Amino acid sequence: DDLRVMAILKGRNMICNIATLPLVLLNQDRKAVSDPLFDQFDPQVANVVHLALTIEDLLFDGIAWWEVTDRHPLGRPRHVKHIDSRRVSLNPPRNGIINRLPSGIDPDAVLYVDGEPKNAYNYLRFDSPNPPFLSAARRAIKRAVLLEMAAEMYAENPAPNDYFTP
């Protein structure tokens, strides 16, 4: 878990603070309009938490997903649920059977959530313009974790195993 490194946790918290800013839907005339989706994304989760989780996925993994749980009569999303980006894949599980066209495209537009095929129509995808932090900074994060573990070990003042004499 990379969030045990205090610098990463603090950076994540500072960036995710933008979730506390008001989110306004504008029409083509740049006038604010009301929409149930923006009033409450997920009836079970506060909007600030929902947006912070989305921002965290964009920051760390470079992609975020929302599952549509309710729609307007005309088909627009009314409520959504945040799905952890590590649970979603565009690739079928290794043991999955897929129906591909000769071009290699799956005509059924399937996503895989926890290895189970799902209709892509019920999912909203958000892509980050930046590379995923967990990939781009993998070596630096690994070193930071090792330094944190070493600091913790020495902070606990372990007893020496051997004594040296002249």
Side-chain angles (χ1 to χ4, degrees):
D1 186 31
D2 300 317
L3 290 179
R4 63 185 164 180
V5 177
M6 290 307 297
I8 295 173
L9 178 63
K10 185 173 182 177
R12 176 257 180 230
N13 290 345
M14 290 173 67
I15 291 170
C16 286
N17 271 335
I18 64 171
T20 63
L21 297 174
L23 189 61
V24 179
L25 178 64
L26 302 176
N27 65 12
Q28 60 271 20
D29 299 324
R30 296 191 166 278
K31 299 213 187 251
V33 293
S34 178
D35 188 294
L37 178 63
F38 283 78
D39 293 340
Q40 186 67 44
F41 296 114
D42 183 344
Q44 304 298 319
V45 179
N47 276 0
V48 67
V49 174
H50 187 92
L51 286 173
L53 291 171
T54 301
I55 293 165
E56 180 178 319
D57 283 350
L58 289 171
L59 174 67
F60 289 143
D61 301 319
I63 193 168
W65 295 93
W66 292 357
E67 180 182 7
V68 178
T69 57
D70 186 29
R71 292 186 179 275
H72 290 282
L74 296 177
R76 291 194 45 219
R78 183 183 344 231
H79 294 294
V80 294
K81 179 172 79 171
H82 171 266
I83 302 293
D84 188 307
S85 62
R86 289 162 284 204
R87 294 178 50 206
V88 181
S89 174
L90 299 172
N91 302 317
R94 292 182 195 267
N95 60 357
I97 299 171
I98 51 176
N99 177 25
R100 292 193 182 209
L101 298 173
S103 64
I105 297 173
D106 183 354
D108 298 324
V110 174
L111 291 175
Y112 297 88
V113 179
D114 298 328
E116 297 292 322
K118 303 289 182 176
N119 187 333
Y121 177 72
N122 293 322
Y123 292 84
L124 302 176
R125 174 181 168 165
F126 301 90
D127 292 292
S128 173
N130 300 314
F133 180 75
L134 294 181
S135 297
R138 182 178 320 273
R139 288 177 52 201
I141 293 169
K142 185 176 180 182
R143 281 190 211 112
V145 169
L146 291 173
L147 285 170
E148 287 282 331
M149 290 169 50
E152 182 179 331
M153 180 184 73
Y154 286 109
E156 293 174 359
N157 195 14
N161 291 333
D162 293 320
Y163 290 98
F164 295 99
T165 58

